[in-house]
Amino acid sequence: MKLRNRGMTIGALLPGKKNCITDVDGVKVGHLTLDYPLDDGDYACTGVTAILPHGGNLFREKVVAASYVLNGFGKTTGLVQLNELGVLESPIMLTNTFGVPAVTQGTLEYILQENPEIGDTTGTINIVVGECNDGQLNSIRKFPVKPNHAIDAIQTATADISLEGAVGAGKGMVCFGYKGGIGSSSRVIEEGVQTYTIGCMVLSNFGGKIEFPFEKYPGIKDVRKGIDETSDGSIIMVLATDAPLSDRQLLRVAKRCGIGLGRTGSHFSHGSGDIVIAFSTANKIPHNSEAVLQTVTHIREDHPLMNQLFAGAAEATEEAILNSLSQAVTTKGRNGLVVESMFGLKKR
């Protein structure tokens, strides 16, 4: 159950129809969840999540993108080139820390199958993968995530309402000492006849149980039954919009995700990887073109719409984090450890 279904409202802007990142037209999300015991008390409690900016060929039709690092205790791939060129040409993949190599390989295999010219008659491909450490519940040293799991997540991606909580990459994640994981929210920005959508999906795995501001959210019961956990952890925030923005403007908007993260109680601790990956679907960038010039349309920097997008990014991030908690079920992992749902949700 999303937070709004519990009677709580975050911010002043209205959410999209699905209140999910897939409210941005063309965006698709897929999950592959691993949940089974291994030998000697080990457990596969992890998964992969794929976020596709559009349903076409992402290498041949890139989208404008940027990333922003609030605290860099993370092991992502692909962000150096993404920031240098300002484009995204692969799905954004999420998984656990030690699953990054396998997910990178699986995503690479999938894209090479779609594009036989890569590495032959044209350049290479930049795969973007984000991670959080789910080692409390998941036996990460056993490497349960395999390359084919990344392919499965991509192939099952849909534009429907995305599953949230303990699914996909969020299966083994812990947030504020309670069960965290995948969460999503969106905001609709209206300016005259123009309507734009901004959506956020998070992989939440941060915060100590004493840091969550229960007093700020009176609809959430202060049960304090979370596991004893430090502030260290991570969160990946994926921001999507159909507003026409340059990569520099996307960077400005991405920075505002930190406001939403801070509102939930985070202070971007020493051992936390707090990273935003943002993209706009408004302008497709063709891989092959003989044109010298490229013409695109951007929102004026000083237009009030930019402030609305800033507010939307902050609100959607805050609500996405809360949705990751609101949707997550109590989960059992390695060595019999059980992480409780903040809302008392039991595993189905």
Side-chain angles (χ1 to χ4, degrees):
M1 182 184 295
K2 279 185 176 285
L3 195 75
R4 286 179 183 255
N5 298 121
R6 300 181 186 277
M8 286 173 274
T9 300
I10 302 298
L13 296 171
L14 293 176
K17 184 177 180 181
K18 293 174 280 189
N19 195 14
C20 180
I21 194 172
T22 56
D23 281 319
V24 179
D25 189 41
V27 175
K28 296 183 176 183
V29 175
H31 303 288
L32 186 285
T33 305
L34 302 178
D35 181 9
Y36 53 86
L38 302 169
D39 295 333
D40 301 323
D42 285 316
Y43 205 96
C45 185
T46 189
V48 183
T49 294
I51 300 153
L52 283 61
H54 61 75
N57 189 306
L58 293 169
F59 178 74
R60 295 173 186 168
E61 287 189 301
K62 312 175 198 302
V63 295
V64 178
S67 72
Y68 181 64
V69 179
L70 289 93
N71 195 70
F73 207 104
K75 291 83 179 172
T76 59
T77 67
L79 298 190
V80 171
Q81 181 175 313
L82 183 147
N83 285 338
E84 181 70 21
L85 302 184
V87 295
L88 173 69
E89 58 185 14
S90 80
I92 297 172
M93 308 298 292
L94 305 177
T95 189
N96 75 71
T97 306
F98 289 175
V100 170
V103 168
T104 302
Q105 179 180 340
T107 308
L108 178 60
E109 290 175 358
Y110 177 85
I111 295 179
L112 291 181
Q113 183 67 32
E114 279 197 324
N115 303 273
E117 70 273 23
I118 294 177
D120 185 6
T121 59
T122 190
T124 56
I125 175 75
N126 185 50
I127 307 296
V128 175
V129 184
E131 57 77 31
C132 294
N133 184 354
D134 59 10
Q136 289 179 284
L137 286 168
N138 175 49
S139 298
I140 60 173
R141 289 176 59 91
K142 299 296 183 180
F143 302 108
V145 171
K146 307 300 181 187
N148 63 288
H149 296 143
I151 297 172
D152 289 344
I154 295 170
Q155 290 180 330
T156 59
T158 73
D160 296 333
I161 298 175
S162 173
L163 297 174
E164 296 175 72
V167 297
K171 178 61 185 176
M173 303 300 171
V174 181
C175 187
F176 293 114
Y178 299 90
K179 190 65 194 73
I182 297 292
S184 193
S185 185
S186 67
R187 292 295 184 272
V188 175
I189 313 295
E190 295 183 352
E191 181 60 41
V193 297
Q194 296 290 337
T195 299
Y196 298 112
T197 302
I198 188 165
C200 182
M201 175 163 283
V202 302
L203 179 62
S204 68
N205 190 60
F206 68 96
K209 64 183 180 181
I210 64 172
E211 295 175 310
F212 186 78
F214 284 99
E215 67 283 354
K216 182 180 176 182
Y217 306 108
I220 302 178
K221 184 179 179 181
D222 186 352
V223 289
R224 305 283 178 177
K225 293 191 302 184
I227 65 173
D228 219 359
E229 173 59 11
T230 68
S231 301
D232 289 344
S234 294
I235 180 170
I236 303 293
M237 297 158 276
V238 178
L239 199 67
T241 185
D242 55 8
L245 300 173
S246 68
D247 58 307
R248 184 187 56 78
Q249 290 175 318
L250 272 172
L251 176 59
R252 298 190 69 205
V253 177
K255 291 177 180 179
R256 274 63 184 185
C257 291
I259 298 172
L261 175 58
R263 287 172 180 170
T264 67
S266 171
H267 59 268
F268 321 152
S269 65
H270 160 72
S272 189
D274 306 314
I275 298 167
V276 187
I277 306 169
F279 63 87
S280 168
T281 62
N283 294 307
K284 304 292 194 305
I285 312 299
H287 179 73
N288 294 310
S289 176
E290 296 180 359
V292 175
L293 301 178
Q294 179 172 283
T295 302
V296 294
T297 300
H298 297 149
I299 293 171
R300 276 185 58 92
E301 207 75 38
D302 60 352
H303 196 282
L305 182 58
M306 286 298 294
N307 279 331
Q308 292 284 84
L309 290 168
F310 291 163
E315 289 185 12
T317 302
E318 180 183 7
E319 188 165 342
I321 293 167
L322 295 172
N323 279 335
S324 76
L325 292 161
S326 181
Q327 296 271 57
V329 297
T330 295
T331 301
K332 182 179 179 179
R334 72 185 186 101
N335 297 324
L337 178 65
V338 175
V339 178
E340 298 285 341
S341 162
M342 179 181 281
F343 291 84
L345 300 178
K346 301 302 180 182
K347 183 177 178 180
R348 299 176 185 86

